[in-house]
Amino acid sequence: MEAHSWHLVAALAQAGHDVTLFASGDSADALPQGVELFPILPEHYDSRYPWHAYHGTDTLNAHVDAGFARAGQALIDGKFDVIHNNSLHRYPPRLARVHRLPMVTSLHIPPFDALRRAVHESAAPWARFTVTSHRQLRIWWPDGHPVEASVAYNGIDTAQWPYRPGGDGSAIWAGRITETKGTHLSVQASRMAGVPLTLYGTIENADYFDRSVRPYLSETIRYGGHLQGRDLAAAYGKASVLLFTPCWEEPFGLAAIEAMATGLPVAAVANGAAQEVIGAAGIYAAADRLPDLATALRRAMLIDPMVPFQRVVERYTVAHMIQNYEACYAKAIAGLGRSDVPDVTFAPIELTLAPQLRENA
């Protein structure tokens, strides 16, 4: 979501929009050109309250709630033409509903209880929602989605992921190294298939890495560290296939399309939206069928590199993404003219506002 937000505001600014980014104060270090920053919190909360230690605690919840309460008031006072909400917090959708703020909320993960309630209570002609796949549309609204919800696929700048067909016969895996991303499946499948593999990404769960990944590391299966985008693109260009192994209800799979843009076919675990997004650029297996994943790994290397490349160009570019979002923005702005939608109120636990305090944020 962080990478998506950065590329979104950069593309919107480049397209001529006047953009203010609401994010942590230390986001200023890499702010895209032409984008103004409003600091929700002085620094990203994980630096002070690490997720693995504070997730679900009153301490972290209060810290984040206070930041979003100030941000909510700033959104009202800012009189923005439209607000794009990429956060997972319960306040913004309700803020849009109550205060008639034109807002598009993009949902990048499967629903969890607090956010599900906020989303289901907040849809209005001016308060719209996007999800990253048709699969997610059904997950968020199993009984049928409202007219205010639609699919907007993620998009990438293909210039940052240059097409480099071929490769050295090795496989690559990239992402957050944590159980839901299935890193353990990639190392087992590559060993079973006899295909060299390099892992890239931040080790989000050290215990999981030590228990389920490290024992498989060898001369042919190695961990290459956490790379910046340019270096990761170069690594993709040297490999011949991507292992994509989600062990959860995968909403989209940004790592897959980044690799596909370079010409990498995909051997994937068919969870969530994987097949919808990757399509004919991949060969698929179930998470509990390691032999099938090993076979998929070998078969995927036979796919013409133009197949994944063309799929990205036709569906998943920044230009496609911005076009979809701009259409949503227009609908949210037009929805403000609707007078037939009743007002609502929410309890303070569900929506709270606070003074901006921007100079102290």
Side-chain angles (χ1 to χ4, degrees), residues 43-303:
E43 58 186 2
H44 64 286
Y45 68 76
D46 201 57
S47 65
R48 184 174 177 184
Y49 301 112
W51 176 260
H52 69 275
Y54 286 90
H55 172 52
T57 66
D58 291 342
T59 299
L60 179 56
N61 290 342
H63 179 66
V64 174
D65 285 356
F68 273 92
R70 291 194 300 272
Q73 187 61 57
L75 289 171
I76 294 172
D77 296 341
K79 302 187 185 306
F80 296 100
D81 294 316
V82 69
I83 299 161
H84 193 136
N85 171 36
N86 265 334
S87 78
L88 303 179
H89 201 270
R90 66 193 184 281
Y91 287 177
R94 292 185 172 113
L95 182 79
R97 179 67 178 86
V98 171
H99 294 276
R100 296 184 72 96
L101 301 179
M103 181 181 291
V104 175
T105 293
S106 289
L107 302 167
H108 296 275
I109 66 169
F112 59 89
D113 189 50
L115 188 58
R116 185 203 301 268
R117 291 198 309 271
V119 167
H120 283 206
E121 294 170 355
S122 301
W126 60 86
R128 307 187 69 86
F129 300 90
T130 69
V131 291
T132 55
S133 61
H134 290 279
R135 170 71 178 177
Q136 280 295 294
L137 204 61
R138 296 189 295 272
I139 295 296
W140 273 92
W141 292 278
D143 297 325
H145 63 86
V147 296
E148 293 88 1
S150 61
V151 174
Y153 288 126
N154 289 333
I156 61 171
D157 180 358
T158 53
Q160 297 188 12
W161 306 94
Y163 179 61
R164 293 182 178 132
D168 59 8
S170 70
I172 192 170
W173 183 99
R176 293 181 292 111
I177 297 178
T178 187
E179 195 158 5
T180 58
K181 294 296 185 179
T183 324
H184 61 287
L185 298 180
S186 71
V187 293
Q188 294 178 60
S190 64
R191 187 170 75 168
M192 191 176 294
V195 175
L197 169 69
T198 304
L199 309 170
Y200 293 103
T202 181
I203 299 176
E204 186 172 276
N205 186 327
D207 291 341
Y208 164 73
F209 182 82
D210 290 339
R211 179 183 69 252
S212 301
V213 178
R214 189 184 297 279
Y216 292 92
L217 299 184
S218 65
E219 290 185 1
T220 58
I221 301 176
R222 68 184 193 90
Y223 172 55
H226 180 44
L227 301 183
Q228 296 300 312
R230 180 180 302 177
D231 296 328
L232 182 58
Y236 283 151
K238 296 176 183 177
S240 296
V241 63
L242 175 79
L243 268 164
F244 184 67
T245 54
C247 288
W248 70 321
E249 183 62 52
E250 178 62 56
F252 182 75
L254 195 61
I257 65 168
E258 290 169 349
M260 287 161 58
T262 72
L264 279 185
V266 184
V269 169
N271 278 343
Q275 287 179 275
E276 176 185 340
V277 171
I278 299 167
I283 304 294
Y284 305 92
D288 60 351
R289 300 285 297 179
L290 266 173
D292 292 351
L293 185 58
T295 300
L297 179 58
R298 292 189 293 266
R299 289 180 57 200
M301 287 194 282
L302 302 177
I303 296 174

